[in-house]
Amino acid sequence: MLKTLVKTYFKGNGGLSILQALKTGNSKSKKKSKGRSILSYFGLIYLSILYMWIIYSNFVSQLKTDVLFAVISSQSVALMLTIFFTLTSIDNILVTGSDINTLKTLPIDTKTLTLSRFVILYFEVFCECLLAIIPFAVAALINIKFNIVFYLLLILDALIIPAFSAFFMGVFSYLSLKSKVMKRAKTVLIYVLSFFVIYFMLRVLGNQAGPNSSVTFALSERVVVSNQVIILFAAILGALALCSIILYFVCLKLSKIVIESENIKEKDKQLRGEISYKQNSIFKALVIREKRIMFSNSSFSTELVLELVMPLFILLIYAVMGILGDMSKDIMSIPGIENYLYVALWGVIMMFYTFNLLSSTSVSREGKDFDLCKIYPINVKDRVNSKLVFHLIATLPFIEIFIIAIAIGAKAPALETILIAISMVPYIASISVIGLTIDFNNPHTAWERPQEAVKQNTNGLGAMGISIIELILIVGLFILSEIYLKIRLVSTSMPLIISLIFFVIFYKTAINNAKKQFEQ
């Protein structure tokens, strides 16, 4: 039964999510779809080789100084990556999967059903664990004197770490369903891990690309692994294995509690939802609905919310690493840059928010409910406006905070700061309606896994492309204005003028595309 459940899941969902991410959704042209898949595969292979080469070189440098430190470093990276990626998929596999409710009605033992979901999760996490284990294993094979015990421990390492990550996050997932405190703790964990993932990647890339960097393929002499390293490595794996077993039994107990209380909880949620919609206007109810859809699944909330705070993460990481101070000194050494520093930083922040999938996947995230909603007697403009307003509410406060912080730090003129802050309203609105135009034109609602609505949705790429064109026009006209007009207020007004033009054009297009969808 266990094997059948696992096999059926992967067969029904098209295999591992790493392969799912390469698919580009439904396409009328099979040749075009096949071509995109081939490009996606080559792109993935290229990025994987590049990443593994960078990590490999970093591990070789660590083996040169301390083998035990290199071992612990590889385990830390593997745990960080597996736990981080598990956060985005665990709820869908364990709790909110489309097939779970059907399976619960079948005569399947709770223990078997729970174990099958963890086996599925294990295979998913195992693939991500290899991103850290393979580079370290290759570095060890080339640079360490042959030691059969050490290599056996490496194999066990690759098998135990995914199990620990899966069961550890399983406990978090079940507890977050029962406790608001744990749900918030899970959210905090997402941000903390995101911070460290970005910090790790930037630090490694910085080491490889820095002025004093050197890439080492192999050490001049092979390193000997001491018995002390072997014993400590085995002890760490033993502790992880023991913790995995304990966490597994905790997960079994929690899964029973969750299953028993799920029906009552679902009825209460439906009742609260009905009362909430009755107490609010149609437009407000639509905005609330957008919020509930976004936070209905961790795949939506994790990926989309992280986009909003990514500039802050990168700034903090650069500050911690000391890169920010060095960059500031280098930039300030450029003649005349002090007059344009705050403008350049504003442009960087605007660029970050062009890469936003909040509206370009908004219709797709509704899934099969989108077709059901077509029968509701709701004005099309209200539908579009609710998505637009939700995008503004979720995004505008963040970008305004960054704009004001840069203005204070770089001592920008007050009038220019006010003008650029006002310009951010139509700028963010234009990005939203561009995304809605594309997503209403070709919504990807026929998905089985929530990740497909975001990761495998090419609508997001299309919206990013048009938004980048908008930003290029703004930057280009700003530069031309500075060269020929030499009036800073006129130059600073370019974001406002271009954003308003884009907003008017694409807002009308979004309304027309929405009407076509609801008239079908």
Side-chain angles (χ1 to χ4, degrees):
M1 177 61 74
L2 180 64
K3 183 180 178 180
T4 303
L5 288 171
V6 175
K7 187 177 179 180
T8 302
Y9 176 87
F10 284 120
K11 187 176 180 180
N13 288 278
L16 295 166
S17 54
I18 192 170
L19 299 177
Q20 284 284 321
L22 294 172
K23 297 179 182 178
T24 54
N26 297 329
S27 175
K28 293 181 180 178
S29 173
K30 291 184 178 180
K31 291 183 179 179
K32 186 183 287 187
S33 177
K34 187 177 180 180
R36 283 199 295 259
S37 297
I38 291 171
L39 287 174
S40 299
Y41 277 111
F42 275 112
L44 179 68
I45 291 170
Y46 171 75
L47 291 174
S48 298
I49 292 173
L50 179 63
Y51 160 82
M52 287 188 177
W53 168 250
I54 293 171
I55 301 299
Y56 165 84
S57 180
N58 191 64
F59 284 143
V60 171
S61 300
Q62 292 175 356
L63 287 171
K64 184 179 180 180
T65 55
D66 190 339
V67 176
L68 182 61
F69 176 76
V71 169
I72 295 173
S73 177
S74 69
Q75 289 181 320
S76 301
V77 173
L79 282 168
M80 179 176 64
L81 291 176
T82 52
I83 291 175
F84 176 75
F85 286 112
T86 303
L87 281 166
T88 64
S89 58
I90 188 165
D91 284 348
N92 184 59
I93 293 174
L94 293 185
V95 182
T96 61
S98 57
D99 60 336
I100 290 179
N101 290 332
T102 303
L103 292 172
K104 287 176 182 176
T105 61
L106 300 175
I108 302 173
D109 182 61
T110 302
K111 183 179 179 180
T112 304
L113 179 59
T114 303
L115 183 58
S116 70
R117 308 310 284 193
F118 275 107
V119 171
I120 292 164
L121 185 62
Y122 178 85
F123 283 121
E124 298 278 6
V125 177
F126 179 76
C127 294
E128 289 136 11
C129 180
L130 293 179
L131 293 173
I133 297 299
I134 288 178
F136 180 75
V138 174
L141 285 168
I142 295 174
N143 297 283
I144 291 179
K145 286 188 177 181
F146 184 79
N147 188 316
I148 186 65
V149 178
F150 183 79
Y151 295 138
L152 287 174
L153 289 175
L154 273 181
I155 295 172
L156 287 174
D157 193 28
L159 296 174
I160 291 172
I161 286 178
F164 175 83
S165 300
F167 294 132
F168 176 76
M169 291 313 303
V171 171
F172 253 92
S173 183
Y174 285 132
L175 287 177
S176 65
L177 293 173
K178 303 294 293 181
S179 169
K180 289 184 178 180
V181 174
M182 291 305 299
K183 190 172 183 178
R184 289 168 185 167
K186 184 181 172 184
T187 304
V188 171
L189 182 62
I190 290 173
Y191 290 123
V192 171
L193 281 173
S194 302
F195 181 90
F196 280 108
V197 167
I198 300 168
Y199 172 81
F200 170 75
M201 294 306 300
L202 290 176
R203 181 166 185 172
V204 171
L205 289 170
N207 291 337
Q208 300 301 322
N212 301 319
S213 63
S214 60
V215 178
T216 306
F217 177 74
L219 301 175
S220 56
E221 293 183 7
R222 285 177 172 257
V223 178
V224 178
V225 180
S226 65
N227 291 332
Q228 184 182 6
V229 171
I230 296 290
I231 293 170
L232 289 172
F233 192 6
I236 293 170
L237 290 179
L240 287 173
L242 180 61
C243 290
S244 299
I245 294 169
I246 295 170
L247 290 171
Y248 166 66
F249 286 107
V250 173
C251 284
L252 282 181
K253 183 67 175 176
L254 290 173
S255 67
K256 290 180 181 179
I257 296 171
V258 168
I259 290 172
E260 290 172 359
S261 62
E262 199 171 45
N263 291 333
I264 298 172
K265 186 177 179 180
E266 187 63 29
K267 289 179 181 178
D268 289 341
K269 281 178 70 178
Q270 290 175 359
L271 181 61
R272 287 197 300 270
E274 289 174 5
I275 294 171
S276 176
Y277 282 108
K278 287 176 182 177
Q279 290 176 342
N280 292 308
S281 66
I282 292 175
F283 180 77
K284 189 174 180 180
L286 287 171
V287 176
I288 293 171
R289 179 174 177 268
E290 289 297 317
K291 176 188 172 184
R292 287 178 176 171
I293 290 173
M294 180 176 170
F295 291 99
S296 64
N297 191 281
S298 61
S299 299
F300 296 157
S301 57
T302 301
E303 293 176 27
L304 298 175
V305 172
L306 282 176
E307 292 175 6
L308 303 177
V309 295
M310 193 61 69
L312 180 61
F313 275 169
I314 293 177
L315 288 173
L316 285 174
I317 289 166
Y318 275 167
V320 170
M321 295 171 65
I323 295 175
L324 198 60
D326 296 337
M327 287 175 62
S328 300
K329 291 177 182 177
D330 294 336
I331 292 171
M332 292 307 295
S333 65
I334 301 172
I337 191 63
E338 61 274 2
N339 297 325
Y340 294 95
L341 180 60
Y342 60 90
V343 177
L345 292 174
W346 284 340
V348 171
I349 295 300
M350 290 170 67
M351 182 188 68
F352 272 114
Y353 283 90
T354 60
F355 307 125
N356 192 288
L357 302 176
L358 196 58
S359 288
S360 58
T361 60
S362 178
V363 182
S364 300
R365 290 197 303 271
E366 294 184 28
K368 296 174 183 177
D369 289 342
F370 178 67
D371 293 325
L372 180 64
C373 290
K374 290 181 180 180
I375 63 174
Y376 297 153
I378 300 174
N379 187 277
V380 172
K381 281 191 175 182
D382 284 340
R383 295 176 187 271
V384 175
N385 290 339
S386 65
K387 294 180 181 293
L388 170 60
V389 168
F390 179 70
H391 189 120
L392 289 171
I393 292 172
T395 309
L396 198 58
F398 289 95
I399 195 168
E400 295 290 9
I401 289 170
F402 288 128
I403 294 295
I404 294 169
I406 289 169
I408 294 171
K411 297 179 181 178
L415 195 57
E416 290 182 39
T417 303
I418 293 170
L419 184 58
I420 201 72
I422 294 171
S423 301
M424 290 304 99
V425 178
Y427 180 72
I428 294 298
S430 65
I431 291 173
S432 176
V433 293
I434 288 170
L436 292 174
T437 296
I438 294 176
D439 210 27
F440 269 118
N441 182 58
N442 183 31
H444 178 40
T445 56
W447 47 265
E448 295 296 330
R449 295 161 57 92
Q451 293 95 326
E452 297 173 31
V454 180
K455 288 182 180 178
Q456 297 167 226
N457 195 344
T458 54
N459 293 344
L461 293 175
M464 286 181 194
I466 298 174
S467 298
I468 289 172
I469 292 172
E470 179 186 0
L471 184 60
I472 290 172
L473 283 173
I474 291 171
V475 173
L477 289 173
F478 177 88
I479 294 171
L480 290 173
S481 176
E482 284 293 290
I483 293 172
Y484 295 106
L485 299 178
K486 297 180 180 179
I487 302 173
R488 180 57 63 85
L489 281 177
V490 175
S491 303
T492 313
S493 66
M494 290 303 163
L496 180 63
I497 296 169
I498 300 300
S499 298
L500 284 172
I501 293 171
F502 269 76
F503 174 75
V504 171
I505 293 171
F506 283 96
Y507 179 73
K508 290 180 179 179
T509 312
I511 295 292
N512 291 333
N513 288 348
K515 285 180 179 178
K516 290 177 184 178
Q517 287 292 333
F518 289 107
E519 287 172 0
Q520 290 178 358

